[in-house]
Amino acid sequence: MRKMLLRILINMLAFYTVGWVFPQVEPGSWQVLLLAAVVLALINLLIRPIVLLLALPLNLVTLGLFTLIVNTWMVMLTSLFVSGFGITGFWHSLTAAVISIIYSIILKPFFKKK
């Protein structure tokens, strides 16, 4: 449960950052950001493992870099499901995925149990 809440917080922060950096991205209010982060967490829980399994050969050929493309697709799928949250285009979704990964790397050590 704690790990899921951390993922939601990181995704919210990443979506807010992308909306702050790019004027084309419309993050909406904090409630919309929270809903988008929860939807992305559910998509990552339910859909992402199936897509990664299907893309395994391509992921092996690219030495794991295709996972970034899969993460981008999940962000794009989130923007389709959540009204009021608009990430238009592949490159903005890629930026959101990369920022989410960077925030995850930075913040995870602070939330580990000792």
Side-chain angles (χ1 to χ4, degrees), residues 40 43-44 47-56 58-59 64-77 90 94 97:
L40 182 61
I43 286 173
N44 282 339
I47 298 173
R48 186 173 176 262
I50 297 167
V51 174
L52 283 174
L53 185 64
L54 292 173
L56 185 62
L58 192 55
N59 215 354
L65 288 177
F66 194 73
T67 304
L68 187 58
I69 303 301
V70 171
N71 290 344
T72 303
W73 290 342
M74 299 303 120
V75 171
M76 292 172 80
L77 193 61
F90 176 80
L94 178 69

Side-chain angles (χ1 to χ4, degrees), residues 8-54:
I8 290 171
L9 174 71
I10 289 171
N11 290 333
M12 245 180 106
L13 190 60
F15 290 153
Y16 178 76
T17 304
V18 171
W20 181 66
V21 171
F22 296 110
Q24 301 90 349
V25 175
E26 191 176 314
S29 64
W30 70 269
Q31 293 96 347
V32 174
L33 280 174
L34 179 63
L35 179 63
V38 168
V39 168
L40 182 61
L42 290 174
I43 286 173
N44 282 339
L45 184 68
L46 301 172
I47 298 173
R48 186 173 176 262
I50 297 167
V51 174
L52 283 174
L53 185 64
L54 292 173

